[in-house]
Amino acid sequence: MNKKKLRIYISGALTGIENPTVIKDFYVAIGLLCEKVGFQAYVPHLNTDPLKHPNITPSQVFQTDKSQVSQADLVIGYIGYASIGVGMELAYAETNSIPIILIYETGKTISRFPRGIPTVLAEIDFQDYQDALVQLEIALKKWNT
């Protein structure tokens, strides 16, 4: 009997960020880690990136991302950059009782609002992206037991 793979939505800022290629590669690495651990990952910018998919309307992006969040079993939210979109995705996840793991760099000033969401399972503050992935793998395995 095949067990249904749990779905994870990777939330992270796409606009107004420094080094967009590096941060988008980080989101992909998170998605690949999720797949390696046995989950199905959805990395939004692979489908609706504002630079690579400029013809997708704001309404289409909203409907796509909202649908993907609503189908997720877990949301991983990178909150190292302030982002209205990420905030909306986290609030939508919380409204639908979807668990959340927050990740951000050690030493960054992070709003208390997302950190106070009742469905947050874990906060991962990391030194570098490799540290983030190591800690995230531990959290994912713990969540899935």
Side-chain angles (χ1 to χ4, degrees), residues 2-74:
N2 285 343
K3 183 180 173 187
K4 178 184 166 244
K5 281 189 176 185
L6 296 175
R7 299 171 53 96
I8 299 180
Y9 184 93
I10 315 302
S11 178
L14 296 176
T15 55
I17 56 177
E18 298 171 12
N19 303 314
T21 302
V22 173
I23 194 70
K24 289 176 188 178
D25 286 347
F26 178 49
Y27 302 155
V28 169
I30 292 171
L32 291 172
L33 171 66
C34 292
E35 298 277 342
K36 179 185 116 178
V37 176
F39 303 110
Q40 180 181 352
Y42 182 79
V43 183
H45 80 272
L46 297 178
N47 300 290
T48 59
D49 185 279
L51 298 176
K52 292 184 180 177
H53 306 99
N55 295 329
I56 298 175
T57 67
S59 178
Q60 290 170 314
V61 171
F62 175 79
Q63 291 301 325
T64 299
D65 291 354
K66 181 180 175 185
S67 173
Q68 291 296 325
V69 169
S70 71
Q71 295 174 47
D73 297 294
L74 174 75

Side-chain angles (χ1 to χ4, degrees), residues 117-138:
I117 296 171
T119 59
V120 170
L121 299 176
E123 286 186 44
I124 296 171
D125 63 294
F126 60 86
Q127 298 296 320
D128 56 37
Y129 293 150
Q130 186 57 41
D131 179 38
L133 296 173
V134 168
Q135 290 189 61
L136 183 57
E137 183 171 1
I138 293 166

Side-chain angles (χ1 to χ4, degrees), residues 69-105:
V69 169
S70 71
Q71 295 174 47
D73 297 294
L74 174 75
V75 171
I76 297 171
Y78 170 69
I79 57 172
Y81 286 103
S83 168
I84 293 170
V86 171
M88 291 178 66
E89 290 166 347
L90 296 178
Y92 191 72
E94 187 276 329
T95 298
N96 289 282
S97 301
I98 297 167
I100 298 167
I101 295 175
L102 299 175
I103 59 174
Y104 52 89
E105 292 88 345

